[in-house]
Amino acid sequence: MDSEEPIEQLPRGIALAWGVAATPQRGPKREMSVERIVDAAIEIADQEGITAVSMSAVAKRLGYTPMSLYRYVSAKDDLLLLMQEEATGLPPEISAEEPAWRARLEELYEAQTEVYRRKSWLLTMPITGSPITPNSSAWLEASLEALDATSLTEDEKMAASLLVTGAARWRGSILAGYQQQGRAKGLNDAEVSEQESRLFDTVITEDGYPFLRRAIDAGVFTSESDPFVFGFERGLDGLADYIELVGRQRAGEATDTHEDTEAVGSAGGASGSAGEASGSERVAAEGSEDIPDGDPTVMADNKYRDAQKAVKQAQKVLAEARKRERQTLREAKERAAKRR
């Protein structure tokens, strides 16, 4: 939205969520409020599910007519948006000692999962776009803040934040489904898992599904391990490796850019030779670390580091060659212009 457009251009529901919508001057005994309407709607959703929420049902619970509600919340879609905003709440605050980015993302993942576990009706609401209400935005803000000190770009930080949100929603939907099934049948979590395992055991044969059969025999459906947490943690492992990798690469690019700037004005060929020589000397110096004899893991790691250094050196040589190419082209253009 253009910064010069008036705030009244915001959709009514979003304006209400941000507290910038005008409230009616007249109402039934001035006892009605948007907050009371939303609270009553959430009570209905908690008890009967989101499908039971309607303007008439909320009005009845509050003891007013539906028309009284429309003075405050003009459409059911706006009411659903406000319910989602209230039920989502705010992310947990950062502790006194600010955690590392991974610990903070794990904390947000668990907290979001708990929101979906407590308010499972949130999972039945359609996703119509990016979160634009205060509380929903605060969850994204918390993830982005956790990643602020990393070497990720803004696009990458947002993608990592959505990894947390998506994984929490998926896990929350599964847990909520199991809880609903357990309540309906009077079973606890362990009993639901046992029942599920027996069903699989009945229909899955080794001939038709040999790998799934092996997993069933290993007890995966009754295991105490959480497969969703395992998957999320491995996702964070990959993110950690990526952050480390791009951190080294981007630090190397910054160093190369600084060296290229210092080399401006030097002779093209001599500059290239000098750059290659200094790079080779640096690689040789960096590769002179003491390595324990007979340790294959350390040796493998060292080979990987050497390969990375070689790639960086090649990238630097290529960048210098392209710089010389651009300089040569500029000089050729200048000579052609003088001839004219």
Side-chain angles (χ1 to χ4, degrees):
M1 187 180 68
D2 193 313
S3 60
E4 296 182 358
E5 292 183 6
I7 199 69
E8 287 78 12
Q9 295 300 313
L10 282 174
R12 172 73 177 174
I14 295 176
L16 285 169
W18 286 96
V20 295
T23 56
Q25 295 301 312
R26 293 183 301 169
K29 299 181 182 179
R30 299 300 299 277
E31 295 175 359
M32 186 74 74
S33 67
V34 173
E35 291 75 18
R36 286 195 61 198
I37 294 170
V38 172
D39 288 343
I42 289 177
E43 289 176 3
I44 295 173
D46 288 343
Q47 297 167 6
E48 306 174 47
I50 196 67
T51 57
V53 176
S54 66
M55 298 297 276
S56 59
V58 174
K60 182 178 180 181
R61 180 170 290 252
L62 292 172
Y64 296 109
T65 65
M67 289 306 299
S68 301
L69 269 62
Y70 283 108
R71 295 194 184 99
Y72 296 83
V73 181
S74 57
K76 182 181 177 180
D77 286 346
D78 293 343
L79 176 59
L80 294 176
L81 177 68
L82 295 173
M83 290 172 62
Q84 183 176 12
E85 170 72 357
E86 180 65 22
T88 298
L90 290 170
E93 294 184 0
I94 299 177
S95 57
E97 295 183 2
E98 187 171 340
W101 68 263
R102 177 164 184 156
R104 179 58 171 163
L105 293 189
E106 289 172 343
E107 181 181 37
L108 294 172
Y109 169 71
E110 291 292 342
Q112 288 182 73
T113 299
E114 184 59 26
V115 169
Y116 290 125
R117 194 202 303 262
R118 289 186 295 102
K119 303 291 185 182
S120 58
W121 51 266
L122 282 170
L123 297 163
T124 65
M125 299 181 69
I127 298 176
T128 58
S130 300
I132 199 169
T133 53
N135 290 349
S136 296
S137 299
W139 285 91
L140 270 181
E141 174 75 7
S143 293
L144 293 172
E145 181 183 12
L147 295 163
D148 182 59
T150 69
S151 54
L152 298 177
T153 65
E154 295 305 317
D155 282 346
E156 291 166 345
K157 291 174 189 174
M158 180 60 73
S161 299
L162 295 178
L163 166 67
V164 178
T165 301
R169 185 180 181 91
W170 170 237
R171 183 186 179 206
S173 66
I174 299 298
L175 294 179
Y178 274 57
Q179 287 179 344
Q180 184 177 1
Q181 183 182 16
R183 286 194 298 267
K185 297 183 178 181
L187 304 175
N188 58 36
D189 292 346
E191 290 170 336
V192 170
S193 296
E194 286 284 355
Q195 182 185 71
E196 185 177 59
S197 181
R198 288 195 299 271
L199 291 173
F200 271 100
D201 189 52
T202 301
V203 298
I204 300 300
T205 64
E206 186 173 2
D207 291 339
Y209 307 90
F211 302 105
L212 181 54
R213 181 70 250 178
R214 186 191 305 169
I216 294 169
D217 292 339
V220 295
F221 289 103
T222 55
S223 172
E224 294 183 359
S225 64
D226 190 326
F228 303 103
V229 172
F230 176 85
F232 178 65
E233 290 291 342
R234 300 298 72 75
L236 291 186
D237 287 345
L239 181 60
D241 289 343
Y242 181 77
I243 288 174
E244 181 180 359
L245 176 62
V246 299
R248 291 197 299 265
Q249 289 178 342
R250 289 165 186 169
E253 290 171 2
T255 301
D256 292 344
T257 300
H258 178 68
E259 291 177 352
D260 287 346
T261 301
E262 291 182 341
V264 171
S266 301
S271 173
S273 301
E276 293 170 14
S278 62
S280 301
E281 292 170 359
R282 185 170 65 254
V283 170
E286 292 175 345
S288 62
E289 300 173 356
D290 293 333
I291 302 173
D293 294 335
D295 189 335
T297 301
V298 176
M299 291 294 290
D301 288 346
N302 187 63
K303 289 180 180 179
Y304 177 68
R305 288 195 299 270
D306 287 345
Q308 286 185 316
K309 292 172 184 176
V311 169
K312 284 186 180 180
Q313 179 65 16
Q315 289 173 336
K316 179 182 177 183
V317 172
L318 177 61
E320 291 173 341
R322 286 176 175 168
K323 183 177 70 176
R324 292 196 298 272
E325 179 186 31
R326 291 192 297 270
Q327 178 65 27
T328 302
L329 180 61
R330 282 195 299 269
E331 293 173 352
K333 289 182 178 179
E334 290 174 356
R335 288 194 296 270
K338 290 179 179 178
R339 292 195 197 101
R340 297 192 190 101

